[in-house]
Amino acid sequence: MKILVQLARIIVGVLFIFSGFVKLVDPIGSQYKFEEYFSEGVLNMEFLIPYALTFSIILIIAEIVLGVALLVGWKPKFTVISLKIIILIFLFLTWYSAYYDKVTDCGCFGDAIKLKPWETFYKDVALTILIFFIGFKIKYIKPIAKKFIPFQIVFVSLIISSFITYYVLAHLPIIDFRAYAIGKNLPEGMEYKDDGEIPPVHDFMLENAQNDLAPQILKMDKVMIIIMSSFEKSDYNAFPEVKKISEEAMQKGYKVYGASASFSDIIDLTIKKYNLPFEVLFCDETTLKTMIRANPGIMILKNGTVTEKKNWSDIDDIEL
């Protein structure tokens, strides 16, 4: 029995740490997932959407810290009760997603591992059984060391997780699991394979009033795309810097385009106000949010391959 408890302890602890880490490197992705759950078509709790990022950060850090706490044996009762609460929330959300076919990807493992709704639900069922089993045999969970060592390890995990979260939000994900990561070739990502799955890049269109310019843009040798998923939600302090880098890029032979999902009148007003020197093309907002976790953000392509991505706050680090 002791061996089974320790094995369950390791499995649960490692899975929670892994699940938290792959989301920790990209908390904005979890924010978008919470917004989807809170939307009118799912849980109809739209009043919580403004707090989606806060929820995602708290949950991500809690997963990591509780996983570490379980492994080192810090406050076993508190840790196991907290894990029970979290897993029951996960269990409800994944069941709801699978049963009502509302959210096809719960984002449990971020963009690192994609699971189908029922696969995610069964995974959470197994974790629920393991956590409640550990709780039933809580007497076998002992600290790995005496005195303050378990607490110190848990506290360090909290500090490190918080620092990574701050860094990622100020810049970009430190690990990019998406199809638009640096080094990815977008035309290759659009190809359909024999497995019948939808390709990872399937909604990439950059449209002006008449045509989709994406095919010709993906063939260009030097192109910079200023991604502003929503002009209304953009950081307006960025636009003077965006204007500066776009003009510098044009002088060095780059074609520069903006990409946004905002209405044309809002785009026109912003371009006029800040004298932005590039054409803004329309693209689906979800696609733009997938391309880069910044608003605005800068992506550089060379013959369809992503060679650079930066948050506007790191514009000075762009090498043209």
Side-chain angles (χ1 to χ4, degrees), residues 33-233:
K33 194 57 60 178
F34 269 110
E35 291 175 348
E36 187 175 359
Y37 272 113
F38 293 149
S39 65
E40 182 180 1
V42 185
L43 295 177
N44 196 24
M45 301 172 69
E46 294 180 281
F47 66 94
L48 291 177
I49 289 179
Y51 309 103
L53 180 58
T54 302
F55 279 121
S56 74
I57 292 172
I58 292 173
L59 180 62
I60 290 167
I61 293 178
E63 281 189 86
I64 294 175
V65 172
L66 290 174
V68 171
L70 184 63
L71 291 180
V72 301
W74 179 74
K75 292 190 177 296
K77 290 184 179 180
F78 169 80
T79 298
V80 172
I81 290 174
S82 300
L83 288 171
K84 285 180 180 179
I85 294 172
I86 290 178
I87 198 59
L88 288 175
I89 294 173
F90 284 168
L91 193 64
F92 167 75
L93 291 177
T94 53
W95 168 81
Y96 188 90
S97 299
Y99 188 81
Y100 291 102
D101 194 27
K102 290 290 186 179
V103 181
T104 56
D105 175 20
C106 75
C108 294
F109 294 119
D111 290 301
I113 300 175
K114 298 291 187 180
L115 296 177
K116 296 178 180 178
W118 282 114
E119 292 174 340
T120 306
F121 173 70
Y122 294 137
K123 180 264 295 179
D124 285 342
V125 169
L127 273 176
T128 302
I129 294 172
L130 288 175
I131 292 171
F132 274 81
F133 169 67
I134 294 171
F136 183 66
K137 297 294 182 180
I138 194 74
K139 63 182 180 181
Y140 294 126
I141 303 295
K142 304 295 182 183
I144 61 171
K146 296 180 180 180
K147 297 183 180 180
F148 296 105
I149 293 178
F151 167 75
Q152 290 172 342
I153 295 174
V154 171
F155 183 72
V156 169
S157 71
L158 173 62
I159 296 300
I160 293 175
S161 299
S162 301
F163 174 77
I164 293 176
T165 301
Y166 168 79
Y167 180 87
V168 170
L169 292 176
H171 302 280
L172 287 179
I174 55 177
I175 303 176
D176 194 343
F177 296 106
R178 286 159 289 142
Y180 298 90
I182 294 176
K184 295 285 188 178
N185 183 270
L186 302 191
E188 290 179 2
M190 295 178 178
E191 296 176 359
Y192 280 84
K193 309 296 182 183
D194 296 332
D195 56 11
E197 296 289 331
I198 297 176
V201 180
H202 57 274
D203 288 327
F204 183 73
M205 292 182 288
L206 297 171
E207 301 171 306
N208 60 14
Q210 289 82 32
N211 301 299
D212 174 20
L213 302 184
Q216 64 190 66
I217 288 174
L218 292 177
K219 294 178 182 178
M220 295 179 180
D221 183 59
K222 299 168 73 174
V223 58
M224 172 183 287
I225 303 177
I226 312 296
I227 300 170
M228 299 155 288
S229 55
S230 169
F231 268 83
E232 301 91 323
K233 299 178 183 178

